């Protein structure tokens, strides 16, 4: 059977490895951390995944935590007014549930499953020189190592990367003890709180190492008041700063958060990165070629919560391309075609995410504002997180937005 090496044990690498394994491929996964190190380490994401991405996991029969993770039925938007009130506040209904399973739980579990099913798991932080060696021994080498150092093998695609610097400073806290949201206490939802000119606070339920929890996730415009986490090492201090900013900018969320505590010492994360699209084929010094996967080739800011969704979609798309290839060689031409097939959907994610990082134009403010009176607008916006391609038809262009709203009110 064909031999495939996957470097990186994240959403994309492990989902693809488990998929290939179930089709009889001989798969090696190289991870720079063991399952226990991942499980006992720091949180990596907020990893909220929507219907299509979750369905890929179900299709692979690796949706092991679906019964335990909170079932997210809605996605709400609140916009802070100048006086601490909410100028906009609505809840869109998702057609299919969304879920967040802490990557520490999922990746550790998937790694163990992969090994139990006979997969070869190598614990090693791969360097480019390693890949040079392995490219000669495997039919295909896939680099699914996220935003780490190996991206240097893949040329930045300037045409598809409008930003060359981070657009948000990120700060995540996993907490227990968040109170229910009084407006819809029985409905689990992701809440996007937009603070104009300052940034965003996302609140969502998750399944973490200690059971059900909630995530408070600040995205701050660099240099602004939310860009306040650099240099904070102590998790308690990180949470205190998070809450201080909640009280100041989103007091309705702070009102629910007065009794929260961190889930664990690894329950905080801060950082930033520039959204970047790269060329899919990485060149090795010895002349070999490797194919980039998910965040390696298309890394978007998490402001739209798409990276894990995209990783799942990329893994599913590459799996189809690999199966379709049969016994033909995985040459560079095939690699580019495999990426193009994925890019057909990924381009919409990148376009929408980059648009959401910029100050919103007038017609977008109108659309978001109208979600309060027009439930179909709220629902369509919420379901766009599952299928960002839908935004093409009503979101970017002022005329299309007006025509859509006119059709609803006619
Ligand atoms: C704060 C934050 C919030 C987010 N929220 C969401 C969200 O709500 N929804 C969503 O869909 N996405 C979200 N994302 C994005 C999402 O987490 C990523 O896009 C997704 O995890 C990418 O998956 P991946 O498999 O490409 O890479 P990763 O998940 O980064 O996995 C790569 C793996 O490779 C390993 N690795 C790295 N270098 C090497 C090496 N040299 N050798 C071996 N192993 C290596 C890493 O340790 C890691 O385990 C968020 C991201 C952040 C930072």
């Amino acid at each position: 059977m064909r031999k495939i090496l996957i470097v990186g044990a994240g959403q994309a690498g492990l989902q693809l490895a488990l998929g290939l394994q179930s089709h009889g491929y001989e798969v090696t996964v190289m991870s720079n951390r063991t399952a226990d190190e991942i499980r006992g380490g720091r949180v990596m994401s907020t990893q909220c995944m929507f219907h299509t991405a979750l369905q890929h996991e179900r299709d692979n029969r690796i949706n092991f935590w679906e019964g335990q993770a909170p079932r997210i039925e809605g996605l709400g938007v609140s916009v802070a007014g100048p006086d601490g009130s909410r100028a906009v506040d609505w809840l869109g209904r998702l057609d299919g549930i969304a879920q967040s399973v802490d990557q520490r739980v999922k990746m550790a579990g998937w790694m163990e499953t992969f090994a139990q099913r006979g997969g070869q798991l190598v614990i090693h932080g791969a360097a480019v020189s390693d890949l040079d060696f392995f490219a000669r021994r495997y039919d295909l080498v896939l680099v699914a190592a996220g935003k780490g150092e190996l991206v240097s093998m893949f040329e930045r695609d300037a045409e598809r990367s409008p930003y060359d610097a981070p657009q948000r400073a990120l700060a995540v806290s996993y907490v227990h003890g968040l109170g229910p949201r009084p407006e819809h206490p029985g409905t689990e939802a992701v809440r996007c709180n937009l603070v104009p000119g300052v940034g965003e606070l996302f609140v969502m339920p998750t399944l973490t190492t200690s059971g059900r929890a909630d995530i408070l996730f600040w995205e701050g415009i660099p240099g602004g008041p939310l860009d306040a986490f650099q240099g904070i090492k102590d998790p308690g201090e990180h949470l205190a700063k998070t809450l201080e900013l909640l009280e100041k900018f989103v007091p309705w969320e702070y009102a629910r958060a007065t009794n929260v505590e961190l889930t664990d010492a690894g329950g905080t994360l801060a950082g930033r990165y520039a959204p970047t699209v790269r060329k899919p084929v990485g060149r090795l010094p010895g002349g070999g070629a490797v194919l980039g996967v998910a965040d390696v080739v298309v890394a978007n800011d998490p402001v739209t919560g798409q990276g894990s969704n995209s990783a799942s979609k990329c893994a599913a798309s590459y799996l189809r391309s690999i199966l379709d290839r049969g016994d033909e060689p995985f040459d560079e031409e095939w690699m580019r075609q495999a990426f193009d097939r994925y890019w057909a959907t990924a381009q919409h994610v990148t376009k929408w995410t980059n648009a959401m990082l910029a100050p919103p134009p007038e017609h977008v403010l109108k659309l978001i504002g109208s979600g309060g009176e027009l439930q179909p607008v709220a629902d369509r916006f919420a379901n766009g997180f599952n299928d960002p391609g839908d935004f093409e038809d009503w979101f970017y262009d002022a005329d299309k937005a007006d025509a859509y709203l006119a059709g609803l009110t006619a």
Side-chain angles (χ1 to χ4, degrees):
M1 218 356 163
R2 306 199 82 181
K3 286 178 66 178
I4 296 185
L5 171 65
I6 299 176
V7 179
Q11 175 73 39
L14 284 168
Q15 184 184 316
L16 184 52
L18 288 158
L20 288 167
Q21 196 179 41
S22 70
H23 284 91
Y25 287 74
E26 204 181 314
V27 187
T28 301
V29 169
M30 197 174 277
S31 168
N32 54 3
R33 287 189 297 166
T34 65
D36 282 342
E37 283 166 352
I38 290 174
R39 200 180 275 118
R42 181 179 284 281
V43 294
M44 294 167 273
S45 178
T46 64
Q47 72 269 314
C48 183
M49 293 173 63
F50 296 86
H51 174 75
T52 304
L54 294 177
Q55 190 57 43
H56 291 314
E57 298 186 353
R58 293 182 193 117
D59 292 345
N60 253 348
R61 295 197 177 81
I62 53 172
N63 54 327
F64 304 142
W65 301 274
E66 185 166 342
Q68 301 157 54
R71 295 169 62 83
I72 299 172
E73 293 170 344
L75 183 139
V77 172
S78 305
V79 180
D83 56 352
S85 67
R86 279 168 277 184
V88 172
D89 192 50
W90 48 253
L91 181 72
R93 298 275 162 186
L94 292 167
D95 293 339
I97 61 152
Q99 290 192 310
S100 164
V101 176
D102 186 340
Q103 289 185 342
R104 295 180 298 179
V105 173
K106 189 194 277 185
M107 300 319 148
W110 278 357
M111 266 170 86
E112 286 164 351
T113 301
F114 172 75
Q116 280 156 12
R117 292 178 179 174
Q120 199 183 354
L121 186 62
V122 178
I123 304 300
H124 177 66
V128 174
S129 52
D130 297 317
L131 301 189
D132 225 1
F133 174 81
F134 286 116
R136 288 188 282 271
R137 281 160 181 76
Y138 285 84
D139 294 303
L140 173 64
V141 175
L142 295 146
V143 181
K147 295 177 282 289
E149 285 165 19
L150 291 180
V151 297
S152 61
M153 275 191 299
F154 300 86
E155 187 192 339
R156 179 171 180 270
D157 187 334
E159 261 175 47
R160 291 172 170 172
S161 308
Y163 300 114
D164 56 10
Q167 299 300 302
R168 292 292 186 275
L170 318 173
V172 171
S173 300
Y174 279 48
V175 297
H176 289 307
L178 189 71
R181 197 175 152 87
E183 296 86 346
H184 48 81
T187 307
E188 299 277 22
V190 177
R191 172 66 45 180
C192 313
N193 296 281
L194 315 181
V195 187
V198 176
E200 301 83 15
L201 174 81
F202 300 94
V203 185
M204 72 194 78
T206 189
L207 176 74
T208 185
T209 48
S210 50
R212 189 206 183 284
D214 287 280
I215 306 175
L216 306 172
F217 173 23
W218 276 119
E219 284 238 347
I221 292 174
L226 303 177
D227 187 357
F229 293 84
Q230 259 176 329
I232 298 183
K233 297 266 179 299
D234 178 59
E237 204 184 315
H238 180 109
L239 178 61
K241 178 59 78 181
T242 297
L243 296 175
E244 179 191 317
L245 295 168
L246 250 70
E247 187 175 18
K248 181 161 183 202
F249 291 107
V250 287
W252 59 91
E253 297 290 0
Y254 180 71
R256 308 161 58 201
T258 46
N259 290 320
V260 299
E261 53 187 39
L262 286 175
T263 54
D264 60 280
T268 63
L269 174 72
R272 68 190 72 204
Y273 58 88
T276 308
V277 178
R278 293 178 186 277
K279 302 276 173 68
V281 180
R283 308 219 169 268
L284 296 167
V290 294
L291 174 60
V293 189
D295 265 15
V296 168
V297 278
V298 185
N300 294 303
D301 188 277
V303 73
T304 52
Q306 291 295 305
S308 302
N309 290 272
S310 295
S312 168
K313 291 171 186 175
C314 185
S317 177
Y318 280 13
L319 175 63
R320 279 196 307 275
S321 292
I322 292 169
L323 297 179
D324 289 352
R325 191 64 172 166
D327 293 327
E328 297 291 305
F330 297 115
D331 52 24
E332 286 190 36
E333 182 54 25
W334 173 86
M335 289 181 184
R336 271 188 285 276
Q337 283 170 6
F339 176 76
D340 288 348
R341 193 172 179 180
Y342 165 57
W343 180 248
T345 53
Q347 62 177 312
H348 298 295
V349 178
T350 296
K351 180 174 177 179
W352 176 50
T353 305
N354 288 337
M356 294 301 283
L357 290 169
E362 201 55 44
H363 74 274
V364 168
L365 293 176
K366 193 167 149 194
L367 283 172
I368 289 177
S370 65
E373 294 83 50
L374 298 169
Q375 190 60 38
V377 178
D379 294 346
R380 192 167 186 184
F381 186 79
N383 286 295
F385 282 74
N386 178 53
D387 174 18
D390 182 55
F391 289 114
E392 280 299 337
D393 298 330
W394 65 290
F395 197 75
Y396 302 116
D397 180 85
D399 290 340
K400 284 187 186 175
D402 282 345
Y404 170 58
L405 289 178
L408 288 176
T409 47

